[in-house]
Amino acid sequence: QVQLVESGGGLVQPGGSLRLSCVVSGSDFKFYTMGWHRQAAGKQRELVADILSGGTTVTAASVKGRFTISRDNAKNTIYLQMNSLRPEDTAVYYCGVDVVGSGYFWGQGTVVTVSS
């Protein structure tokens, strides 16, 4: 069974930076994509950034140029580097992986609050 554990969330001032981490564990698996979504209060969950199995990345327009997704295969870890944070970035951030033959798996989320 695939398990994902996020960390790195917290309170940060506008303009600040934060790096989220997601450790993926379980049996060996193949994946279509790994990525990050977020859900703000009263809003639907939305894609933040995705990385495909071949390494290609997709980033939402709202965070392009500020957020960068990456992965470390040796550590089975996905990262989201967030720079120039804005109050509208406040949300619960979820790590997810689309596993071939099994479906999509989510972490429990980590809260990011951007406020003075």
Side-chain angles (χ1 to χ4, degrees):
Q1 188 174 25
V2 178
Q3 295 178 312
L4 302 91
V5 180
E6 302 103 327
S7 63
L11 175 64
V12 63
Q13 294 185 349
S17 297
L18 213 58
R19 189 175 78 157
L20 306 183
S21 299
C22 173
V23 179
V24 183
S25 63
S27 300
D28 289 343
F29 61 90
K30 298 179 180 179
F31 67 94
Y32 293 115
T33 64
M34 294 179 172
W36 294 91
H37 290 69
R38 68 185 181 187
Q39 187 167 20
K43 303 288 186 178
Q44 293 189 335
R45 190 172 299 186
E46 64 178 358
L47 174 70
V48 176
D50 233 11
I51 184 165
L52 280 62
S53 60
T56 303
T57 61
V58 177
T59 308
S62 60
V63 305
K64 192 177 293 293
R66 300 187 297 119
F67 292 11
T68 303
I69 186 171
S70 63
R71 69 185 180 201
D72 186 333
N73 290 333
K75 296 182 178 180
N76 294 322
T77 302
I78 311 162
Y79 302 97
L80 184 68
Q81 179 65 48
M82 304 186 294
N83 299 324
S84 302
L85 283 161
R86 305 166 181 169
E88 53 264 40
D89 294 319
T90 296
V92 181
Y93 284 72
Y94 297 91
C95 177
V97 57
D98 192 357
V99 178
V100 175
S102 297
Y104 209 96
F105 293 81
W106 298 98
Q108 292 186 332
T110 185
V111 177
V112 172
T113 303
V114 185
S115 177
S116 298

